[in-house]
mmCIF file of all heavy atoms in Angstrom:
data_model
loop_
_atom_site.group_PDB
_atom_site.id
_atom_site.type_symbol
_atom_site.label_atom_id
_atom_site.label_comp_id
_atom_site.label_asym_id
_atom_site.label_seq_id
_atom_site.Cartn_x
_atom_site.Cartn_y
_atom_site.Cartn_z
ATOM 1 N N LEU A 1553 -13.561 -1.851 -6.524
ATOM 2 C CA LEU A 1553 -12.767 -1.360 -7.641
ATOM 3 C C LEU A 1553 -12.689 -2.378 -8.770
ATOM 4 O O LEU A 1553 -12.619 -2.013 -9.937
ATOM 5 C CB LEU A 1553 -11.353 -1.009 -7.177
ATOM 6 C CG LEU A 1553 -11.213 0.242 -6.329
ATOM 7 C CD1 LEU A 1553 -9.780 0.396 -5.863
ATOM 8 C CD2 LEU A 1553 -11.652 1.456 -7.104
ATOM 9 N N LEU A 1554 -12.688 -3.662 -8.418
ATOM 10 C CA LEU A 1554 -12.633 -4.702 -9.435
ATOM 11 C C LEU A 1554 -13.960 -4.807 -10.190
ATOM 12 O O LEU A 1554 -13.981 -4.874 -11.416
ATOM 13 C CB LEU A 1554 -12.285 -6.054 -8.806
ATOM 14 C CG LEU A 1554 -12.246 -7.243 -9.740
ATOM 15 C CD1 LEU A 1554 -11.133 -7.071 -10.767
ATOM 16 C CD2 LEU A 1554 -12.058 -8.521 -8.956
ATOM 17 N N VAL A 1555 -15.061 -4.808 -9.467
ATOM 18 C CA VAL A 1555 -16.367 -5.014 -10.089
ATOM 19 C C VAL A 1555 -16.856 -3.749 -10.800
ATOM 20 O O VAL A 1555 -17.213 -3.778 -11.977
ATOM 21 C CB VAL A 1555 -17.398 -5.483 -9.038
ATOM 22 C CG1 VAL A 1555 -18.788 -5.537 -9.628
ATOM 23 C CG2 VAL A 1555 -17.005 -6.833 -8.485
ATOM 24 N N VAL A 1556 -16.881 -2.637 -10.094
ATOM 25 C CA VAL A 1556 -17.412 -1.401 -10.666
ATOM 26 C C VAL A 1556 -16.361 -0.701 -11.513
ATOM 27 O O VAL A 1556 -16.652 -0.186 -12.576
ATOM 28 C CB VAL A 1556 -17.936 -0.472 -9.544
ATOM 29 C CG1 VAL A 1556 -18.360 0.862 -10.109
ATOM 30 C CG2 VAL A 1556 -19.075 -1.126 -8.819
ATOM 31 N N GLY A 1557 -15.140 -0.690 -11.040
ATOM 32 C CA GLY A 1557 -14.059 -0.052 -11.777
ATOM 33 C C GLY A 1557 -13.982 1.439 -11.500
ATOM 34 O O GLY A 1557 -14.837 2.023 -10.849
ATOM 35 N N THR A 1558 -12.941 2.038 -12.011
ATOM 36 C CA THR A 1558 -12.760 3.479 -11.868
ATOM 37 C C THR A 1558 -12.854 4.109 -13.249
ATOM 38 O O THR A 1558 -12.491 3.506 -14.253
ATOM 39 C CB THR A 1558 -11.407 3.813 -11.242
ATOM 40 O OG1 THR A 1558 -10.377 3.238 -12.042
ATOM 41 C CG2 THR A 1558 -11.300 3.267 -9.835
ATOM 42 N N GLN A 1559 -13.326 5.317 -13.263
ATOM 43 C CA GLN A 1559 -13.476 6.019 -14.527
ATOM 44 C C GLN A 1559 -12.743 7.351 -14.422
ATOM 45 O O GLN A 1559 -12.931 8.096 -13.469
ATOM 46 C CB GLN A 1559 -14.952 6.253 -14.834
ATOM 47 C CG GLN A 1559 -15.209 6.810 -16.199
ATOM 48 C CD GLN A 1559 -16.693 6.847 -16.513
ATOM 49 O OE1 GLN A 1559 -17.521 6.736 -15.630
ATOM 50 N NE2 GLN A 1559 -17.031 6.994 -17.763
ATOM 51 N N THR A 1560 -11.913 7.622 -15.385
ATOM 52 C CA THR A 1560 -11.188 8.878 -15.391
ATOM 53 C C THR A 1560 -11.836 9.821 -16.399
ATOM 54 O O THR A 1560 -12.496 9.397 -17.346
ATOM 55 C CB THR A 1560 -9.718 8.666 -15.781
ATOM 56 O OG1 THR A 1560 -9.667 8.030 -17.061
ATOM 57 C CG2 THR A 1560 -9.012 7.791 -14.760
ATOM 58 N N SER A 1561 -11.630 11.089 -16.174
ATOM 59 C CA SER A 1561 -12.141 12.078 -17.118
ATOM 60 C C SER A 1561 -11.014 13.032 -17.486
ATOM 61 O O SER A 1561 -10.104 13.271 -16.697
ATOM 62 C CB SER A 1561 -13.322 12.841 -16.525
ATOM 63 O OG SER A 1561 -12.918 13.550 -15.387
ATOM 64 N N THR A 1562 -11.082 13.551 -18.678
ATOM 65 C CA THR A 1562 -10.085 14.508 -19.134
ATOM 66 C C THR A 1562 -10.769 15.837 -19.418
ATOM 67 O O THR A 1562 -11.938 15.887 -19.818
ATOM 68 C CB THR A 1562 -9.379 14.023 -20.412
ATOM 69 O OG1 THR A 1562 -10.369 13.739 -21.409
ATOM 70 C CG2 THR A 1562 -8.572 12.776 -20.139
ATOM 71 N N ARG A 1563 -10.019 16.890 -19.208
ATOM 72 C CA ARG A 1563 -10.530 18.241 -19.407
ATOM 73 C C ARG A 1563 -10.344 18.623 -20.871
ATOM 74 O O ARG A 1563 -9.244 18.545 -21.402
ATOM 75 C CB ARG A 1563 -9.760 19.188 -18.502
ATOM 76 C CG ARG A 1563 -10.234 20.588 -18.511
ATOM 77 C CD ARG A 1563 -9.445 21.378 -17.468
ATOM 78 N NE ARG A 1563 -9.945 22.711 -17.353
ATOM 79 C CZ ARG A 1563 -9.319 23.785 -17.802
ATOM 80 N NH1 ARG A 1563 -8.149 23.656 -18.405
ATOM 81 N NH2 ARG A 1563 -9.835 24.969 -17.661
ATOM 82 N N ALA A 1564 -11.427 19.020 -21.497
ATOM 83 C CA ALA A 1564 -11.379 19.427 -22.908
ATOM 84 C C ALA A 1564 -11.782 20.885 -23.019
ATOM 85 O O ALA A 1564 -12.806 21.300 -22.477
ATOM 86 C CB ALA A 1564 -12.295 18.552 -23.739
ATOM 87 N N VAL A 1565 -10.976 21.638 -23.712
ATOM 88 C CA VAL A 1565 -11.259 23.058 -23.918
ATOM 89 C C VAL A 1565 -11.630 23.252 -25.389
ATOM 90 O O VAL A 1565 -10.872 22.902 -26.296
ATOM 91 C CB VAL A 1565 -10.034 23.928 -23.552
ATOM 92 C CG1 VAL A 1565 -10.345 25.395 -23.782
ATOM 93 C CG2 VAL A 1565 -9.609 23.673 -22.122
ATOM 94 N N GLU A 1566 -12.801 23.814 -25.607
ATOM 95 C CA GLU A 1566 -13.279 24.083 -26.965
ATOM 96 C C GLU A 1566 -12.555 25.322 -27.520
ATOM 97 O O GLU A 1566 -12.021 26.130 -26.760
ATOM 98 C CB GLU A 1566 -14.789 24.331 -26.943
ATOM 99 C CG GLU A 1566 -15.598 23.143 -26.486
ATOM 100 C CD GLU A 1566 -15.580 22.010 -27.481
ATOM 101 O OE1 GLU A 1566 -15.476 22.264 -28.698
ATOM 102 O OE2 GLU A 1566 -15.663 20.851 -27.041
ATOM 103 N N PRO A 1567 -12.547 25.472 -28.838
ATOM 104 C CA PRO A 1567 -11.916 26.667 -29.416
ATOM 105 C C PRO A 1567 -12.538 27.988 -28.959
ATOM 106 O O PRO A 1567 -11.865 29.010 -28.892
ATOM 107 C CB PRO A 1567 -12.112 26.481 -30.927
ATOM 108 C CG PRO A 1567 -12.305 25.020 -31.110
ATOM 109 C CD PRO A 1567 -12.956 24.527 -29.858
ATOM 110 N N ASP A 1568 -13.831 27.936 -28.583
ATOM 111 C CA ASP A 1568 -14.466 29.165 -28.116
ATOM 112 C C ASP A 1568 -14.243 29.412 -26.621
ATOM 113 O O ASP A 1568 -14.763 30.362 -26.068
ATOM 114 C CB ASP A 1568 -15.969 29.147 -28.428
ATOM 115 C CG ASP A 1568 -16.694 27.997 -27.738
ATOM 116 O OD1 ASP A 1568 -16.035 27.145 -27.130
ATOM 117 O OD2 ASP A 1568 -17.944 27.970 -27.816
ATOM 118 N N GLY A 1569 -13.471 28.553 -25.948
ATOM 119 C CA GLY A 1569 -13.129 28.756 -24.540
ATOM 120 C C GLY A 1569 -13.969 27.970 -23.560
ATOM 121 O O GLY A 1569 -13.695 27.991 -22.363
ATOM 122 N N GLN A 1570 -14.999 27.284 -24.014
ATOM 123 C CA GLN A 1570 -15.817 26.485 -23.109
ATOM 124 C C GLN A 1570 -15.036 25.256 -22.665
ATOM 125 O O GLN A 1570 -14.312 24.641 -23.447
ATOM 126 C CB GLN A 1570 -17.107 26.051 -23.774
ATOM 127 C CG GLN A 1570 -18.107 27.150 -23.939
ATOM 128 C CD GLN A 1570 -19.408 26.605 -24.513
ATOM 129 O OE1 GLN A 1570 -19.426 25.541 -25.124
ATOM 130 N NE2 GLN A 1570 -20.487 27.342 -24.294
ATOM 131 N N VAL A 1571 -15.200 24.906 -21.401
ATOM 132 C CA VAL A 1571 -14.507 23.755 -20.819
ATOM 133 C C VAL A 1571 -15.549 22.701 -20.469
ATOM 134 O O VAL A 1571 -16.585 22.998 -19.870
ATOM 135 C CB VAL A 1571 -13.730 24.169 -19.552
ATOM 136 C CG1 VAL A 1571 -13.087 22.961 -18.907
ATOM 137 C CG2 VAL A 1571 -12.700 25.220 -19.886
ATOM 138 N N HIS A 1572 -15.282 21.470 -20.852
ATOM 139 C CA HIS A 1572 -16.111 20.354 -20.430
ATOM 140 C C HIS A 1572 -15.208 19.139 -20.224
ATOM 141 O O HIS A 1572 -14.064 19.115 -20.656
ATOM 142 C CB HIS A 1572 -17.237 20.069 -21.430
ATOM 143 C CG HIS A 1572 -16.763 19.617 -22.769
ATOM 144 N ND1 HIS A 1572 -16.334 20.478 -23.741
ATOM 145 C CD2 HIS A 1572 -16.633 18.375 -23.299
ATOM 146 C CE1 HIS A 1572 -15.959 19.805 -24.800
ATOM 147 N NE2 HIS A 1572 -16.127 18.516 -24.565
ATOM 148 N N PHE A 1573 -15.741 18.165 -19.528
ATOM 149 C CA PHE A 1573 -14.971 16.976 -19.198
ATOM 150 C C PHE A 1573 -15.502 15.784 -19.982
ATOM 151 O O PHE A 1573 -16.715 15.583 -20.080
ATOM 152 C CB PHE A 1573 -15.032 16.699 -17.698
ATOM 153 C CG PHE A 1573 -14.327 17.749 -16.891
ATOM 154 C CD1 PHE A 1573 -15.004 18.859 -16.421
ATOM 155 C CD2 PHE A 1573 -12.983 17.635 -16.639
ATOM 156 C CE1 PHE A 1573 -14.355 19.832 -15.698
ATOM 157 C CE2 PHE A 1573 -12.313 18.597 -15.911
ATOM 158 C CZ PHE A 1573 -13.005 19.707 -15.443
ATOM 159 N N VAL A 1574 -14.583 15.010 -20.532
ATOM 160 C CA VAL A 1574 -14.935 13.837 -21.318
ATOM 161 C C VAL A 1574 -14.553 12.610 -20.510
ATOM 162 O O VAL A 1574 -13.388 12.449 -20.107
ATOM 163 C CB VAL A 1574 -14.198 13.841 -22.680
ATOM 164 C CG1 VAL A 1574 -14.537 12.611 -23.475
ATOM 165 C CG2 VAL A 1574 -14.529 15.100 -23.455
ATOM 166 N N ALA A 1575 -15.519 11.751 -20.246
ATOM 167 C CA ALA A 1575 -15.271 10.546 -19.457
ATOM 168 C C ALA A 1575 -14.611 9.481 -20.323
ATOM 169 O O ALA A 1575 -14.991 9.271 -21.475
ATOM 170 C CB ALA A 1575 -16.573 10.011 -18.875
ATOM 171 N N GLY A 1576 -13.623 8.826 -19.750
ATOM 172 C CA GLY A 1576 -12.944 7.746 -20.446
ATOM 173 C C GLY A 1576 -13.574 6.405 -20.120
ATOM 174 O O GLY A 1576 -14.602 6.313 -19.441
ATOM 175 N N ALA A 1577 -12.964 5.363 -20.579
ATOM 176 C CA ALA A 1577 -13.464 4.010 -20.317
ATOM 177 C C ALA A 1577 -13.194 3.627 -18.865
ATOM 178 O O ALA A 1577 -12.267 4.123 -18.227
ATOM 179 C CB ALA A 1577 -12.781 3.025 -21.252
ATOM 180 N N ARG A 1578 -14.013 2.739 -18.358
ATOM 181 C CA ARG A 1578 -13.811 2.251 -16.983
ATOM 182 C C ARG A 1578 -12.645 1.278 -16.945
ATOM 183 O O ARG A 1578 -12.449 0.491 -17.858
ATOM 184 C CB ARG A 1578 -15.066 1.567 -16.468
ATOM 185 C CG ARG A 1578 -16.165 2.535 -16.177
ATOM 186 C CD ARG A 1578 -17.193 1.912 -15.256
ATOM 187 N NE ARG A 1578 -18.163 2.890 -14.855
ATOM 188 C CZ ARG A 1578 -18.056 3.637 -13.762
ATOM 189 N NH1 ARG A 1578 -17.037 3.479 -12.980
ATOM 190 N NH2 ARG A 1578 -18.984 4.515 -13.462
ATOM 191 N N SER A 1579 -11.899 1.358 -15.867
ATOM 192 C CA SER A 1579 -10.750 0.485 -15.680
ATOM 193 C C SER A 1579 -11.041 -0.473 -14.531
ATOM 194 O O SER A 1579 -11.267 -0.043 -13.395
ATOM 195 C CB SER A 1579 -9.515 1.329 -15.364
ATOM 196 O OG SER A 1579 -8.443 0.514 -14.996
ATOM 197 N N HIS A 1580 -11.049 -1.763 -14.807
ATOM 198 C CA HIS A 1580 -11.280 -2.786 -13.794
ATOM 199 C C HIS A 1580 -9.933 -3.432 -13.471
ATOM 200 O O HIS A 1580 -9.363 -4.121 -14.316
ATOM 201 C CB HIS A 1580 -12.264 -3.843 -14.298
ATOM 202 C CG HIS A 1580 -13.586 -3.266 -14.673
ATOM 203 N ND1 HIS A 1580 -14.579 -3.055 -13.761
ATOM 204 C CD2 HIS A 1580 -14.074 -2.812 -15.855
ATOM 205 C CE1 HIS A 1580 -15.629 -2.528 -14.356
ATOM 206 N NE2 HIS A 1580 -15.341 -2.370 -15.637
ATOM 207 N N GLU A 1581 -9.441 -3.191 -12.259
ATOM 208 C CA GLU A 1581 -8.125 -3.692 -11.897
ATOM 209 C C GLU A 1581 -8.219 -4.714 -10.775
ATOM 210 O O GLU A 1581 -8.989 -4.554 -9.827
ATOM 211 C CB GLU A 1581 -7.223 -2.548 -11.439
ATOM 212 C CG GLU A 1581 -6.852 -1.598 -12.540
ATOM 213 C CD GLU A 1581 -5.793 -0.616 -12.084
ATOM 214 O OE1 GLU A 1581 -5.106 -0.890 -11.087
ATOM 215 O OE2 GLU A 1581 -5.672 0.426 -12.740
ATOM 216 N N VAL A 1582 -7.398 -5.739 -10.870
ATOM 217 C CA VAL A 1582 -7.319 -6.757 -9.838
ATOM 218 C C VAL A 1582 -6.137 -6.478 -8.906
ATOM 219 O O VAL A 1582 -6.039 -7.067 -7.836
ATOM 220 C CB VAL A 1582 -7.233 -8.165 -10.475
ATOM 221 C CG1 VAL A 1582 -5.880 -8.407 -11.093
ATOM 222 C CG2 VAL A 1582 -7.573 -9.238 -9.475
ATOM 223 N N LEU A 1583 -5.261 -5.560 -9.286
ATOM 224 C CA LEU A 1583 -4.058 -5.298 -8.503
ATOM 225 C C LEU A 1583 -4.332 -4.801 -7.080
ATOM 226 O O LEU A 1583 -3.609 -5.191 -6.161
ATOM 227 C CB LEU A 1583 -3.144 -4.326 -9.253
ATOM 228 C CG LEU A 1583 -2.540 -4.887 -10.538
ATOM 229 C CD1 LEU A 1583 -1.736 -3.828 -11.259
ATOM 230 C CD2 LEU A 1583 -1.686 -6.099 -10.247
ATOM 231 N N PRO A 1584 -5.339 -3.948 -6.820
ATOM 232 C CA PRO A 1584 -5.605 -3.595 -5.432
ATOM 233 C C PRO A 1584 -5.967 -4.801 -4.571
ATOM 234 O O PRO A 1584 -5.515 -4.917 -3.426
ATOM 235 C CB PRO A 1584 -6.779 -2.618 -5.527
ATOM 236 C CG PRO A 1584 -6.665 -2.022 -6.864
ATOM 237 C CD PRO A 1584 -6.130 -3.123 -7.737
ATOM 238 N N LEU A 1585 -6.753 -5.704 -5.126
ATOM 239 C CA LEU A 1585 -7.138 -6.901 -4.371
ATOM 240 C C LEU A 1585 -5.936 -7.807 -4.135
ATOM 241 O O LEU A 1585 -5.751 -8.336 -3.032
ATOM 242 C CB LEU A 1585 -8.245 -7.649 -5.114
ATOM 243 C CG LEU A 1585 -8.941 -8.766 -4.355
ATOM 244 C CD1 LEU A 1585 -9.591 -8.237 -3.096
ATOM 245 C CD2 LEU A 1585 -9.972 -9.414 -5.237
ATOM 246 N N LEU A 1586 -5.093 -7.984 -5.149
ATOM 247 C CA LEU A 1586 -3.895 -8.811 -4.980
ATOM 248 C C LEU A 1586 -2.905 -8.191 -4.010
ATOM 249 O O LEU A 1586 -2.282 -8.897 -3.207
ATOM 250 C CB LEU A 1586 -3.229 -9.040 -6.341
ATOM 251 C CG LEU A 1586 -3.996 -9.900 -7.340
ATOM 252 C CD1 LEU A 1586 -3.237 -9.970 -8.656
ATOM 253 C CD2 LEU A 1586 -4.229 -11.277 -6.782
ATOM 254 N N GLY A 1587 -2.731 -6.887 -4.070
ATOM 255 C CA GLY A 1587 -1.825 -6.209 -3.137
ATOM 256 C C GLY A 1587 -2.303 -6.327 -1.701
ATOM 257 O O GLY A 1587 -1.504 -6.553 -0.787
ATOM 258 N N THR A 1588 -3.599 -6.194 -1.497
ATOM 259 C CA THR A 1588 -4.161 -6.340 -0.156
ATOM 260 C C THR A 1588 -3.999 -7.767 0.347
ATOM 261 O O THR A 1588 -3.614 -7.988 1.504
ATOM 262 C CB THR A 1588 -5.648 -5.945 -0.160
ATOM 263 O OG1 THR A 1588 -5.761 -4.603 -0.622
ATOM 264 C CG2 THR A 1588 -6.259 -6.065 1.208
ATOM 265 N N ALA A 1589 -4.277 -8.745 -0.495
ATOM 266 C CA ALA A 1589 -4.149 -10.150 -0.097
ATOM 267 C C ALA A 1589 -2.693 -10.511 0.202
ATOM 268 O O ALA A 1589 -2.408 -11.198 1.193
ATOM 269 C CB ALA A 1589 -4.705 -11.063 -1.183
ATOM 270 N N ALA A 1590 -1.767 -10.043 -0.631
ATOM 271 C CA ALA A 1590 -0.347 -10.326 -0.387
ATOM 272 C C ALA A 1590 0.132 -9.656 0.890
ATOM 273 O O ALA A 1590 0.891 -10.245 1.675
ATOM 274 C CB ALA A 1590 0.484 -9.858 -1.576
ATOM 275 N N SER A 1591 -0.304 -8.449 1.142
ATOM 276 C CA SER A 1591 0.080 -7.749 2.364
ATOM 277 C C SER A 1591 -0.462 -8.467 3.594
ATOM 278 O O SER A 1591 0.246 -8.622 4.599
ATOM 279 C CB SER A 1591 -0.444 -6.316 2.315
ATOM 280 O OG SER A 1591 -0.169 -5.647 3.513
ATOM 281 N N PHE A 1592 -1.721 -8.916 3.527
ATOM 282 C CA PHE A 1592 -2.288 -9.646 4.660
ATOM 283 C C PHE A 1592 -1.551 -10.963 4.881
ATOM 284 O O PHE A 1592 -1.312 -11.358 6.020
ATOM 285 C CB PHE A 1592 -3.785 -9.910 4.442
ATOM 286 C CG PHE A 1592 -4.420 -10.636 5.594
ATOM 287 C CD1 PHE A 1592 -4.633 -9.983 6.791
ATOM 288 C CD2 PHE A 1592 -4.782 -11.960 5.486
ATOM 289 C CE1 PHE A 1592 -5.206 -10.640 7.866
ATOM 290 C CE2 PHE A 1592 -5.351 -12.630 6.536
ATOM 291 C CZ PHE A 1592 -5.577 -11.973 7.746
ATOM 292 N N ALA A 1593 -1.163 -11.636 3.796
ATOM 293 C CA ALA A 1593 -0.419 -12.890 3.936
ATOM 294 C C ALA A 1593 0.925 -12.658 4.613
ATOM 295 O O ALA A 1593 1.334 -13.444 5.485
ATOM 296 C CB ALA A 1593 -0.217 -13.535 2.564
#
Side-chain angles (χ1 to χ4, degrees):
L1553 288 176
L1554 178 64
V1555 173
V1556 174
T1558 57
Q1559 188 172 16
T1560 57
S1561 62
T1562 55
R1563 185 175 185 253
V1565 180
E1566 297 291 329
D1568 61 353
Q1570 287 184 339
V1571 177
H1572 65 278
F1573 293 91
V1574 179
R1578 288 199 173 269
S1579 172
H1580 301 275
E1581 292 189 19
V1582 73
L1583 293 176
L1585 191 59
L1586 292 177
T1588 302
S1591 176
F1592 181 72

